[in-house]
Amino acid sequence: MNIEASSSFQPLTLTVALGERSYPIHIGPGLITDGEQLASYLAGRQVMVVTNDTVAEYYLAALTEALPEGLEVRTLVLPDGEEYKGFDVLTRIWDALLEAGFNRRATLVALGGGVVGDMVGFAAACYQRGIAFIQVPTTLLSQVDSSVGGKTGVNHPLGKNMIGAFWQPKAVLIDTSSLKTLPARELSAGLAEVIKYGLIHDVSFLEWLEAEMDGLRALDAELLAKAIERSCSIKAEIVAQDETEQGVRALLNLGHTFGHAIEAHMGYGAWLHGEAVGAGMAMAADLSHRLGWIDAAALERTRRIIIAAGLPVEAPVEMSVDDFLSRMRLDKKNIDDCLRLVLLRRLGEACVHDETPLEVLKACIAEFPRC
Amino acid sequence: MNIEASSSFQPLTLTVALGERSYPIHIGPGLITDGEQLASYLAGRQVMVVTNDTVAEYYLAALTEALPEGLEVRTLVLPDGEEYKGFDVLTRIWDALLEAGFNRRATLVALGGGVVGDMVGFAAACYQRGIAFIQVPTTLLSQVDSSVGGKTGVNHPLGKNMIGAFWQPKAVLIDTSSLKTLPARELSAGLAEVIKYGLIHDVSFLEWLEAEMDGLRALDAELLAKAIERSCSIKAEIVAQDETEQGVRALLNLGHTFGHAIEAHMGYGAWLHGEAVGAGMAMAADLSHRLGWIDAAALERTRRIIIAAGLPVEAPVEMSVDDFLSRMRLDKKNIDDCLRLVLLRRLGEACVHDETPLEVLKACIAEFPRC
């Protein structure tokens, strides 16, 4: 990973190092309207900008109007929400591409949050067996997580992100100004993933987050840029080591096996992904404590930073132990019969563990606070 | 490419050389019931064998009963026919995998022709972002073409194979005995692709086919095995040079741009793929002659070998010049505004050409015989 600029609030560029599939992450204010930069990543002159109806109002015209002359530009506006991250909406992207007569050198631009990015990325992965796409994430969650690393896909009624592909973007353009229009609840959801990077990889970043959480939630631009930069650089480093999640990349799933179970059981969209991950990280920390890996103080510190971000540290009262277990068994991280979980060895270091005694896991879920 | 055995009618193995994604093609009688060999390519102990209702009657029980003990084996039988190569049927594979609780180490086995192979391969490419699959092709067409090279996908109402992925199998097991149950019309359709290899790459193979066509159509086992071996080895050589069709792999599409237009216009399944490719190769040869590249004798020789295989050398009477042109423009091989065609430089050598004058192409289509 290269850091080509300082970490102050200037535009800066990281690189996700994946050989032929390497790409830059640009972070800074005003990137949505930097049409020349965006155009420099197009595969040909056909471009389709896909967004949702919420983001479209703020940024769609601004982005398309900034593009240089001579391109064939189409737009497609999808309904907003995790409940629309399925086949019906996905196929609308392919329909639109085919109706426009777009070919293998067309480029998709994903303008929006994680749902738009994951669906557009998957649409690009499969259209004519693979075309180029560019991520322009507009939520904190997508800026620090889903837009980087090439995981794309859609939900299935029986599981989240069950159908998808590894397909890397040509570039990620993170316009930090876009966070000004982000609802507070979504900002908190994004902070779940930011906290995750501290918990799994960098205890000094965790300390910084503890000190600056109020400023982050108050949308201090410089603090947000720093949090995004550090988050993306940790993710880029891990993805470069393990693109298709054969090993170390699984650490990025701290809290996600519990969180996916909550999202799926409650119906996609009822809990935001970041909210479910917040509660899931609290559960993973609780389990790590029960296994004797982290002490009560570290568990409490984990709970406090999650609460400080405005996130839940309780599981839904509707969910029984069996509800959790049956959902968790289907999680992609589970190989054959063993239940594989990402847990905290200590604050700042996670590990993949597949020998959690079932009784300990059941007790953790049963005794975990409900909301 | 390695040839580890002689070309006589003994089991033999070719290798598709793609680095980490390399895999063997085994060719010989009785491979469907060699359960130990098949099991050696499984990623874990979960296996789902997917086939269609025609092939199931002949080979499904034979294959599953030959598998070793200790595996978790499921089967899924899909409706037979190109008209079922779409999303509705594709999603049934994912539904079945999820209902079975199959995880990332599950393996799909595609037992059947090109439709089954393309759909199962694509299902494998996208299930949990990619699982292993094995091709067990039972038609001549799939044995010499679609099971080798990793092109997977489904049709869209606006175009054939428009949604798909490059996803290589772990192995291709070509059981030459399975051709005994293949209808004559499907054998002819498979011979279209066999003839194609001679036309684009190997004039001596074309001469051999001219001499042995009667024996091939009479299901002479040794001749068929030789034709399959030579076809697969030419395809493996080309795919190893250009996995994702950035260049030379496009030569494998001789006759396919015309052929896809026929298939799409007539409704998938009305013309078999090989029949459309037969007529399409006659059209490509006609156009090559109009451009002055092949002489009248070579054109006539091309038409004669296609006829000898039992294939059409006329286009459907229903299709106008505009019908062809509008369908051909959407073909995946076409980049931006130019119409890219695979044509014959001479017998045994094809080229990609994107400067065919539109008037010459129109005259070729308008004056081409209709049936």
Side-chain angles (χ1 to χ4, degrees), chain A residues 236-293:
Chain A
E237 185 184 332
I238 291 174
V239 168
Q241 286 176 52
D242 177 22
E243 183 178 7
T244 59
E245 198 169 315
Q246 305 302 305
V248 67
R249 185 167 179 164
L251 300 181
L252 294 171
N253 293 315
L254 178 73
H256 283 59
T257 301
F258 292 106
H260 286 170
I262 294 172
E263 283 184 274
H265 189 86
M266 301 301 287
Y268 296 124
W271 282 50
L272 294 180
H273 176 66
E275 292 168 341
V277 168
M281 291 193 298
M283 295 179 86
D286 186 300
L287 188 53
S288 307
H289 175 56
R290 285 169 189 266
L291 293 170
W293 296 353

Short mmCIF file of all heavy atoms in Angstrom, two decimals, chain A residues 236-293:
data_model
loop_
_atom_site.label_atom_id
_atom_site.label_comp_id
_atom_site.label_asym_id
_atom_site.label_seq_id
_atom_site.Cartn_x
_atom_site.Cartn_y
_atom_site.Cartn_z
N ALA A 236 -7.14 -2.18 2.68
CA ALA A 236 -6.34 -2.42 1.47
C ALA A 236 -5.17 -3.36 1.76
O ALA A 236 -4.85 -4.24 0.95
CB ALA A 236 -5.82 -1.08 0.92
N GLU A 237 -4.56 -3.19 2.93
CA GLU A 237 -3.43 -4.04 3.30
C GLU A 237 -3.88 -5.51 3.44
O GLU A 237 -3.21 -6.43 2.95
CB GLU A 237 -2.86 -3.54 4.63
CG GLU A 237 -1.62 -4.24 5.11
CD GLU A 237 -1.21 -3.71 6.50
OE1 GLU A 237 -1.50 -2.54 6.82
OE2 GLU A 237 -0.62 -4.51 7.25
N ILE A 238 -5.04 -5.72 4.06
CA ILE A 238 -5.53 -7.08 4.27
C ILE A 238 -5.99 -7.71 2.96
O ILE A 238 -5.69 -8.87 2.66
CB ILE A 238 -6.65 -7.08 5.34
CG1 ILE A 238 -6.04 -6.73 6.71
CG2 ILE A 238 -7.38 -8.41 5.38
CD1 ILE A 238 -7.05 -6.55 7.83
N VAL A 239 -6.70 -6.94 2.14
CA VAL A 239 -7.19 -7.45 0.86
C VAL A 239 -6.03 -7.81 -0.06
O VAL A 239 -6.06 -8.82 -0.77
CB VAL A 239 -8.13 -6.43 0.19
CG1 VAL A 239 -8.42 -6.81 -1.26
CG2 VAL A 239 -9.43 -6.32 0.98
N ALA A 240 -4.98 -7.00 -0.05
CA ALA A 240 -3.82 -7.29 -0.89
C ALA A 240 -3.17 -8.62 -0.51
O ALA A 240 -2.62 -9.31 -1.35
CB ALA A 240 -2.80 -6.14 -0.80
N GLN A 241 -3.27 -8.97 0.77
CA GLN A 241 -2.70 -10.25 1.22
C GLN A 241 -3.57 -11.44 0.85
O GLN A 241 -3.09 -12.56 0.75
CB GLN A 241 -2.55 -10.25 2.74
CG GLN A 241 -1.42 -9.40 3.28
CD GLN A 241 -1.45 -9.40 4.81
OE1 GLN A 241 -1.49 -10.44 5.44
NE2 GLN A 241 -1.45 -8.22 5.39
N ASP A 242 -4.88 -11.22 0.70
CA ASP A 242 -5.81 -12.35 0.62
C ASP A 242 -7.08 -11.90 -0.09
O ASP A 242 -8.12 -11.71 0.53
CB ASP A 242 -6.12 -12.85 2.05
CG ASP A 242 -7.14 -13.98 2.07
OD1 ASP A 242 -7.31 -14.66 1.04
OD2 ASP A 242 -7.77 -14.17 3.12
N GLU A 243 -7.00 -11.78 -1.43
CA GLU A 243 -8.11 -11.20 -2.18
C GLU A 243 -9.41 -11.98 -2.03
O GLU A 243 -10.48 -11.41 -1.89
CB GLU A 243 -7.73 -11.12 -3.68
CG GLU A 243 -8.79 -10.46 -4.54
CD GLU A 243 -8.38 -10.35 -6.00
OE1 GLU A 243 -7.33 -10.91 -6.38
OE2 GLU A 243 -9.12 -9.71 -6.77
N THR A 244 -9.34 -13.33 -2.07
CA THR A 244 -10.57 -14.12 -2.12
C THR A 244 -10.91 -14.81 -0.80
O THR A 244 -11.62 -15.80 -0.77
CB THR A 244 -10.50 -15.17 -3.25
OG1 THR A 244 -9.37 -16.01 -3.00
CG2 THR A 244 -10.37 -14.52 -4.60
N GLU A 245 -10.39 -14.25 0.29
CA GLU A 245 -10.75 -14.72 1.64
C GLU A 245 -10.47 -16.20 1.84
O GLU A 245 -11.35 -16.96 2.22
CB GLU A 245 -12.21 -14.38 1.95
CG GLU A 245 -12.49 -14.43 3.45
CD GLU A 245 -13.85 -13.85 3.82
OE1 GLU A 245 -14.21 -12.78 3.32
OE2 GLU A 245 -14.53 -14.50 4.62
N GLN A 246 -9.23 -16.58 1.58
CA GLN A 246 -8.81 -17.93 1.93
C GLN A 246 -8.27 -17.94 3.36
O GLN A 246 -8.16 -19.00 3.97
CB GLN A 246 -7.71 -18.41 0.97
CG GLN A 246 -8.10 -18.34 -0.49
CD GLN A 246 -9.35 -19.14 -0.80
OE1 GLN A 246 -9.42 -20.33 -0.50
NE2 GLN A 246 -10.36 -18.49 -1.38
N GLY A 247 -7.89 -16.78 3.89
CA GLY A 247 -7.28 -16.76 5.21
C GLY A 247 -7.53 -15.46 5.95
O GLY A 247 -8.62 -15.21 6.44
N VAL A 248 -6.50 -14.58 5.95
CA VAL A 248 -6.49 -13.41 6.82
C VAL A 248 -7.66 -12.45 6.57
O VAL A 248 -8.12 -11.77 7.48
CB VAL A 248 -5.13 -12.67 6.69
CG1 VAL A 248 -4.96 -12.08 5.30
CG2 VAL A 248 -4.98 -11.59 7.74
N ARG A 249 -8.19 -12.43 5.33
CA ARG A 249 -9.29 -11.51 5.04
C ARG A 249 -10.51 -11.77 5.91
O ARG A 249 -11.30 -10.87 6.18
CB ARG A 249 -9.68 -11.59 3.55
CG ARG A 249 -10.74 -10.57 3.17
CD ARG A 249 -10.93 -10.42 1.67
NE ARG A 249 -11.98 -9.44 1.43
CZ ARG A 249 -12.22 -8.83 0.29
NH1 ARG A 249 -11.47 -9.09 -0.76
NH2 ARG A 249 -13.19 -7.95 0.17
N ALA A 250 -10.65 -13.00 6.39
CA ALA A 250 -11.79 -13.34 7.25
C ALA A 250 -11.82 -12.48 8.51
O ALA A 250 -12.88 -12.25 9.08
CB ALA A 250 -11.74 -14.82 7.62
N LEU A 251 -10.65 -11.94 8.93
CA LEU A 251 -10.63 -11.11 10.13
C LEU A 251 -11.51 -9.87 9.99
O LEU A 251 -12.00 -9.32 10.97
CB LEU A 251 -9.19 -10.69 10.44
CG LEU A 251 -8.20 -11.83 10.70
CD1 LEU A 251 -6.83 -11.28 11.03
CD2 LEU A 251 -8.70 -12.74 11.82
N LEU A 252 -11.71 -9.45 8.73
CA LEU A 252 -12.58 -8.28 8.50
C LEU A 252 -14.03 -8.57 8.86
O LEU A 252 -14.86 -7.67 8.88
CB LEU A 252 -12.50 -7.85 7.02
CG LEU A 252 -11.15 -7.31 6.55
CD1 LEU A 252 -11.13 -7.15 5.04
CD2 LEU A 252 -10.84 -5.98 7.23
N ASN A 253 -14.34 -9.84 9.13
CA ASN A 253 -15.72 -10.20 9.45
C ASN A 253 -16.00 -10.19 10.95
O ASN A 253 -17.01 -10.75 11.38
CB ASN A 253 -16.03 -11.59 8.88
CG ASN A 253 -16.02 -11.57 7.36
OD1 ASN A 253 -16.58 -10.68 6.75
ND2 ASN A 253 -15.37 -12.55 6.76
N LEU A 254 -15.15 -9.57 11.75
CA LEU A 254 -15.46 -9.49 13.19
C LEU A 254 -16.88 -8.96 13.39
O LEU A 254 -17.24 -7.91 12.86
CB LEU A 254 -14.46 -8.54 13.88
CG LEU A 254 -14.74 -8.34 15.39
CD1 LEU A 254 -14.36 -9.58 16.19
CD2 LEU A 254 -14.03 -7.12 15.94
N GLY A 255 -17.66 -9.71 14.14
CA GLY A 255 -19.04 -9.30 14.44
C GLY A 255 -20.03 -9.59 13.33
O GLY A 255 -21.24 -9.43 13.53
N HIS A 256 -19.54 -10.02 12.17
CA HIS A 256 -20.43 -10.16 11.01
C HIS A 256 -21.24 -11.45 11.01
O HIS A 256 -22.32 -11.48 10.44
CB HIS A 256 -19.63 -10.04 9.70
CG HIS A 256 -19.27 -8.62 9.37
ND1 HIS A 256 -18.51 -7.83 10.20
CD2 HIS A 256 -19.57 -7.84 8.29
CE1 HIS A 256 -18.34 -6.63 9.65
NE2 HIS A 256 -18.97 -6.61 8.49
N THR A 257 -20.72 -12.54 11.59
CA THR A 257 -21.50 -13.77 11.62
C THR A 257 -22.73 -13.57 12.51
O THR A 257 -23.86 -13.91 12.13
CB THR A 257 -20.64 -14.95 12.10
OG1 THR A 257 -19.53 -15.09 11.21
CG2 THR A 257 -21.44 -16.25 12.10
N PHE A 258 -22.52 -12.98 13.70
CA PHE A 258 -23.67 -12.62 14.54
C PHE A 258 -24.55 -11.58 13.83
O PHE A 258 -25.77 -11.67 13.82
CB PHE A 258 -23.19 -12.03 15.88
CG PHE A 258 -22.49 -13.01 16.78
CD1 PHE A 258 -21.11 -12.95 16.96
CD2 PHE A 258 -23.21 -13.97 17.48
CE1 PHE A 258 -20.46 -13.84 17.81
CE2 PHE A 258 -22.56 -14.87 18.33
CZ PHE A 258 -21.18 -14.80 18.49
N GLY A 259 -23.89 -10.58 13.26
CA GLY A 259 -24.63 -9.47 12.63
C GLY A 259 -25.48 -9.93 11.46
O GLY A 259 -26.63 -9.51 11.32
N HIS A 260 -24.92 -10.80 10.60
CA HIS A 260 -25.70 -11.31 9.47
C HIS A 260 -26.93 -12.07 9.95
O HIS A 260 -27.99 -12.01 9.34
CB HIS A 260 -24.85 -12.21 8.58
CG HIS A 260 -23.86 -11.45 7.74
ND1 HIS A 260 -22.86 -12.06 7.03
CD2 HIS A 260 -23.73 -10.12 7.49
CE1 HIS A 260 -22.15 -11.15 6.39
NE2 HIS A 260 -22.66 -9.97 6.66
N ALA A 261 -26.76 -12.83 11.05
CA ALA A 261 -27.90 -13.58 11.59
C ALA A 261 -29.00 -12.60 12.01
O ALA A 261 -30.19 -12.83 11.74
CB ALA A 261 -27.45 -14.44 12.77
N ILE A 262 -28.62 -11.51 12.64
CA ILE A 262 -29.61 -10.50 13.07
C ILE A 262 -30.30 -9.88 11.85
O ILE A 262 -31.53 -9.80 11.78
CB ILE A 262 -28.94 -9.39 13.92
CG1 ILE A 262 -28.43 -9.98 15.24
CG2 ILE A 262 -29.91 -8.23 14.16
CD1 ILE A 262 -27.59 -9.01 16.08
N GLU A 263 -29.49 -9.46 10.88
CA GLU A 263 -30.08 -8.84 9.68
C GLU A 263 -31.05 -9.77 8.98
O GLU A 263 -32.14 -9.37 8.58
CB GLU A 263 -28.97 -8.46 8.69
CG GLU A 263 -28.20 -7.23 9.04
CD GLU A 263 -27.21 -6.90 7.93
OE1 GLU A 263 -26.10 -7.47 7.96
OE2 GLU A 263 -27.55 -6.11 7.03
N ALA A 264 -30.63 -11.03 8.79
CA ALA A 264 -31.47 -11.97 8.04
C ALA A 264 -32.75 -12.28 8.82
O ALA A 264 -33.84 -12.29 8.26
CB ALA A 264 -30.70 -13.26 7.78
N HIS A 265 -32.61 -12.48 10.13
CA HIS A 265 -33.78 -12.85 10.93
C HIS A 265 -34.78 -11.70 11.03
O HIS A 265 -35.99 -11.91 10.97
CB HIS A 265 -33.35 -13.28 12.33
CG HIS A 265 -34.48 -13.88 13.13
ND1 HIS A 265 -34.80 -15.22 13.05
CD2 HIS A 265 -35.38 -13.33 13.99
CE1 HIS A 265 -35.85 -15.46 13.84
NE2 HIS A 265 -36.22 -14.33 14.41
N MET A 266 -34.28 -10.49 11.15
CA MET A 266 -35.17 -9.34 11.33
C MET A 266 -35.73 -8.84 9.99
O MET A 266 -36.62 -8.01 9.98
CB MET A 266 -34.42 -8.20 12.03
CG MET A 266 -33.85 -8.58 13.39
SD MET A 266 -35.15 -9.13 14.54
CE MET A 266 -35.93 -7.55 14.91
N GLY A 267 -35.20 -9.38 8.90
CA GLY A 267 -35.64 -8.89 7.58
C GLY A 267 -34.70 -7.77 7.16
O GLY A 267 -34.49 -6.81 7.90
N TYR A 268 -34.12 -7.92 5.98
CA TYR A 268 -33.13 -6.95 5.54
C TYR A 268 -33.70 -5.54 5.56
O TYR A 268 -34.78 -5.29 5.05
CB TYR A 268 -32.64 -7.29 4.13
CG TYR A 268 -31.92 -8.61 4.10
CD1 TYR A 268 -32.31 -9.62 3.25
CD2 TYR A 268 -30.86 -8.84 4.97
CE1 TYR A 268 -31.67 -10.84 3.25
CE2 TYR A 268 -30.21 -10.06 4.97
CZ TYR A 268 -30.61 -11.05 4.11
OH TYR A 268 -29.97 -12.25 4.12
N GLY A 269 -32.97 -4.63 6.18
CA GLY A 269 -33.39 -3.24 6.22
C GLY A 269 -33.95 -2.83 7.56
O GLY A 269 -33.94 -1.65 7.90
N ALA A 270 -34.44 -3.79 8.36
CA ALA A 270 -34.98 -3.45 9.67
C ALA A 270 -33.84 -2.94 10.57
O ALA A 270 -33.95 -1.89 11.21
CB ALA A 270 -35.66 -4.65 10.30
N TRP A 271 -32.76 -3.69 10.63
CA TRP A 271 -31.52 -3.21 11.25
C TRP A 271 -30.57 -2.81 10.12
O TRP A 271 -30.41 -3.55 9.15
CB TRP A 271 -30.85 -4.33 12.05
CG TRP A 271 -31.46 -4.61 13.40
CD1 TRP A 271 -32.77 -4.82 13.68
CD2 TRP A 271 -30.76 -4.70 14.64
NE1 TRP A 271 -32.95 -5.05 15.01
CE2 TRP A 271 -31.72 -4.99 15.64
CE3 TRP A 271 -29.42 -4.58 15.02
CZ2 TRP A 271 -31.37 -5.16 16.99
CZ3 TRP A 271 -29.07 -4.77 16.36
CH2 TRP A 271 -30.04 -5.03 17.33
N LEU A 272 -29.94 -1.66 10.25
CA LEU A 272 -28.88 -1.33 9.30
C LEU A 272 -27.72 -2.30 9.49
O LEU A 272 -27.49 -2.79 10.61
CB LEU A 272 -28.40 0.11 9.52
CG LEU A 272 -29.41 1.22 9.24
CD1 LEU A 272 -28.75 2.58 9.51
CD2 LEU A 272 -29.90 1.15 7.80
N HIS A 273 -26.98 -2.55 8.40
CA HIS A 273 -25.84 -3.47 8.49
C HIS A 273 -24.90 -3.06 9.62
O HIS A 273 -24.47 -3.90 10.43
CB HIS A 273 -25.11 -3.47 7.14
CG HIS A 273 -23.85 -4.30 7.14
ND1 HIS A 273 -23.86 -5.67 7.28
CD2 HIS A 273 -22.54 -3.94 7.05
CE1 HIS A 273 -22.61 -6.13 7.25
NE2 HIS A 273 -21.79 -5.10 7.12
N GLY A 274 -24.57 -1.79 9.70
CA GLY A 274 -23.64 -1.32 10.73
C GLY A 274 -24.19 -1.51 12.14
O GLY A 274 -23.44 -1.78 13.08
N GLU A 275 -25.50 -1.38 12.29
CA GLU A 275 -26.11 -1.61 13.61
C GLU A 275 -25.98 -3.08 14.00
O GLU A 275 -25.62 -3.41 15.14
CB GLU A 275 -27.58 -1.18 13.57
CG GLU A 275 -27.74 0.33 13.43
CD GLU A 275 -29.16 0.78 13.10
OE1 GLU A 275 -29.98 -0.04 12.64
OE2 GLU A 275 -29.44 1.98 13.30
N ALA A 276 -26.25 -3.96 13.05
CA ALA A 276 -26.13 -5.39 13.33
C ALA A 276 -24.67 -5.75 13.62
O ALA A 276 -24.38 -6.59 14.49
CB ALA A 276 -26.66 -6.20 12.15
N VAL A 277 -23.73 -5.12 12.90
CA VAL A 277 -22.31 -5.38 13.15
C VAL A 277 -21.90 -4.84 14.52
O VAL A 277 -21.10 -5.45 15.23
CB VAL A 277 -21.44 -4.78 12.01
CG1 VAL A 277 -19.97 -4.77 12.39
CG2 VAL A 277 -21.66 -5.56 10.72
N GLY A 278 -22.46 -3.69 14.90
CA GLY A 278 -22.18 -3.15 16.24
C GLY A 278 -22.56 -4.15 17.32
O GLY A 278 -21.72 -4.53 18.17
N ALA A 279 -23.80 -4.62 17.28
CA ALA A 279 -24.25 -5.61 18.26
C ALA A 279 -23.43 -6.90 18.12
O ALA A 279 -23.06 -7.54 19.12
CB ALA A 279 -25.73 -5.91 18.06
N GLY A 280 -23.12 -7.27 16.87
CA GLY A 280 -22.36 -8.49 16.62
C GLY A 280 -20.95 -8.41 17.19
O GLY A 280 -20.42 -9.40 17.73
N MET A 281 -20.32 -7.23 17.09
CA MET A 281 -18.97 -7.07 17.67
C MET A 281 -19.04 -7.16 19.19
O MET A 281 -18.14 -7.73 19.83
CB MET A 281 -18.34 -5.75 17.24
CG MET A 281 -17.99 -5.70 15.75
SD MET A 281 -16.92 -4.31 15.29
CE MET A 281 -17.97 -2.91 15.69
N ALA A 282 -20.11 -6.63 19.78
CA ALA A 282 -20.27 -6.76 21.23
C ALA A 282 -20.42 -8.23 21.62
O ALA A 282 -19.88 -8.67 22.64
CB ALA A 282 -21.48 -5.94 21.69
N MET A 283 -21.15 -8.99 20.79
CA MET A 283 -21.30 -10.43 21.06
C MET A 283 -19.97 -11.16 20.90
O MET A 283 -19.62 -12.04 21.71
CB MET A 283 -22.36 -11.04 20.13
CG MET A 283 -23.76 -10.49 20.39
SD MET A 283 -25.03 -11.18 19.28
CE MET A 283 -25.47 -12.68 20.18
N ALA A 284 -19.21 -10.82 19.85
CA ALA A 284 -17.90 -11.46 19.63
C ALA A 284 -16.95 -11.14 20.79
O ALA A 284 -16.18 -12.00 21.23
CB ALA A 284 -17.31 -11.01 18.30
N ALA A 285 -17.02 -9.90 21.28
CA ALA A 285 -16.17 -9.51 22.42
C ALA A 285 -16.59 -10.27 23.67
O ALA A 285 -15.74 -10.75 24.45
CB ALA A 285 -16.25 -8.01 22.64
N ASP A 286 -17.90 -10.39 23.86
CA ASP A 286 -18.43 -11.14 25.01
C ASP A 286 -17.93 -12.60 24.97
O ASP A 286 -17.45 -13.15 25.97
CB ASP A 286 -19.97 -11.08 24.95
CG ASP A 286 -20.62 -11.70 26.18
OD1 ASP A 286 -20.40 -12.90 26.42
OD2 ASP A 286 -21.35 -10.98 26.88
N LEU A 287 -18.01 -13.21 23.77
CA LEU A 287 -17.55 -14.59 23.62
C LEU A 287 -16.04 -14.70 23.86
O LEU A 287 -15.55 -15.64 24.50
CB LEU A 287 -17.93 -15.10 22.23
CG LEU A 287 -17.72 -16.59 21.94
CD1 LEU A 287 -18.38 -17.48 22.99
CD2 LEU A 287 -18.26 -16.92 20.55
N SER A 288 -15.29 -13.73 23.36
CA SER A 288 -13.83 -13.72 23.56
C SER A 288 -13.51 -13.64 25.06
O SER A 288 -12.55 -14.26 25.54
CB SER A 288 -13.20 -12.51 22.84
OG SER A 288 -13.59 -12.49 21.48
N HIS A 289 -14.32 -12.87 25.79
CA HIS A 289 -14.14 -12.76 27.24
C HIS A 289 -14.46 -14.10 27.93
O HIS A 289 -13.72 -14.56 28.80
CB HIS A 289 -15.04 -11.65 27.78
CG HIS A 289 -15.03 -11.53 29.27
ND1 HIS A 289 -13.88 -11.33 30.01
CD2 HIS A 289 -16.04 -11.59 30.17
CE1 HIS A 289 -14.18 -11.27 31.30
NE2 HIS A 289 -15.48 -11.43 31.42
N ARG A 290 -15.55 -14.75 27.50
CA ARG A 290 -15.91 -16.05 28.07
C ARG A 290 -14.82 -17.10 27.84
O ARG A 290 -14.65 -18.03 28.63
CB ARG A 290 -17.23 -16.56 27.46
CG ARG A 290 -18.46 -15.84 27.98
CD ARG A 290 -19.71 -16.17 27.18
NE ARG A 290 -20.80 -15.29 27.59
CZ ARG A 290 -21.71 -15.61 28.52
NH1 ARG A 290 -21.67 -16.79 29.12
NH2 ARG A 290 -22.66 -14.76 28.86
N LEU A 291 -14.10 -16.97 26.70
CA LEU A 291 -13.02 -17.92 26.41
C LEU A 291 -11.74 -17.54 27.15
O LEU A 291 -10.71 -18.21 27.01
CB LEU A 291 -12.77 -17.96 24.89
CG LEU A 291 -13.91 -18.56 24.06
CD1 LEU A 291 -13.67 -18.33 22.57
CD2 LEU A 291 -14.07 -20.07 24.34
N GLY A 292 -11.79 -16.43 27.87
CA GLY A 292 -10.63 -16.02 28.66
C GLY A 292 -9.59 -15.24 27.89
O GLY A 292 -8.46 -15.07 28.36
N TRP A 293 -9.94 -14.76 26.71
CA TRP A 293 -8.93 -14.07 25.89
C TRP A 293 -8.83 -12.59 26.22
O TRP A 293 -7.74 -12.02 26.17
CB TRP A 293 -9.25 -14.23 24.40
CG TRP A 293 -9.19 -15.65 23.94
CD1 TRP A 293 -8.77 -16.74 24.64
CD2 TRP A 293 -9.56 -16.12 22.65
NE1 TRP A 293 -8.85 -17.87 23.89
CE2 TRP A 293 -9.33 -17.53 22.64
CE3 TRP A 293 -10.04 -15.53 21.49
CZ2 TRP A 293 -9.58 -18.32 21.53
CZ3 TRP A 293 -10.29 -16.31 20.40
CH2 TRP A 293 -10.07 -17.69 20.42
#
